Amino acid sequence: MTNDDRGEVTSQVVIVIPLIVFVLMLAIQAALVFHTSAIASAAASRGASVASGARTPGMAGAVSGVFAASDLVVELGGDLASTPSVGMADGRVTLSVEVRVPRIVPFFPATVVRTVVEPIERTTLEVER
């Protein structure tokens, strides 16, 4: 038996193992971005829905939408980057939520922003019909 091993296996392992770890970290970071995106979408949708269906129109309804969006982000384990913004104009509610993405790999986005636009619900009481 001759020993022709010149360290090839060792050098291959030294190159391949960090590459595998890096690809694994990329996959985890991509999953974190998609998860954070889902949190932001759900929070923006819930906040816009609450704001559009609020019985008290105007700023009270807008504030209730902001609270609903903020609460949902916290419930789902997200971290708000800023207070959700809400606007009411032309019979529509626009709510934007910005959520921080946990960082593993530096070149992915630091935050995810989702905006939802919903029409303001008009409710008519039975007595007013």
Side-chain angles (χ1 to χ4, degrees):
M1 272 193 143
T2 61
N3 190 1
D4 290 342
D5 186 15
R6 291 174 292 195
E8 290 179 29
V9 174
T10 304
S11 62
Q12 290 172 358
V13 167
V14 167
I15 292 172
V16 170
I17 295 297
L19 186 62
I20 290 172
V21 170
F22 181 69
V23 169
L24 181 64
M25 289 174 57
L26 282 176
I28 292 170
Q29 184 66 49
L32 285 171
V33 169
F34 286 123
H35 176 68
T36 304
S37 175
I39 289 174
S41 294
S45 180
R46 164 94 49 101
S49 177
V50 168
S52 71
R55 293 207 180 254
T56 54
M59 286 307 293
V63 169
S64 65
V66 168
F67 282 137
S70 300
D71 289 344
L72 187 62
V73 169
V74 171
E75 283 177 29
L76 295 176
D79 182 26
L80 282 172
S82 63
T83 304
S85 63
V86 65
M88 293 183 159
D90 300 328
R92 297 182 187 273
V93 174
T94 304
L95 195 129
S96 294
V97 176
E98 184 176 12
V99 181
R100 280 190 193 91
V101 178
R103 303 289 296 260
I104 295 176
V105 179
F107 50 84
F108 273 79
T111 61
V112 172
V113 178
R114 292 293 179 261
T115 302
V116 173
V117 178
E118 284 196 18
I120 295 175
E121 294 179 14
R122 305 284 182 207
T123 55
T124 305
L125 299 175
E126 188 66 34
V127 205
E128 298 174 353
R129 288 186 185 190

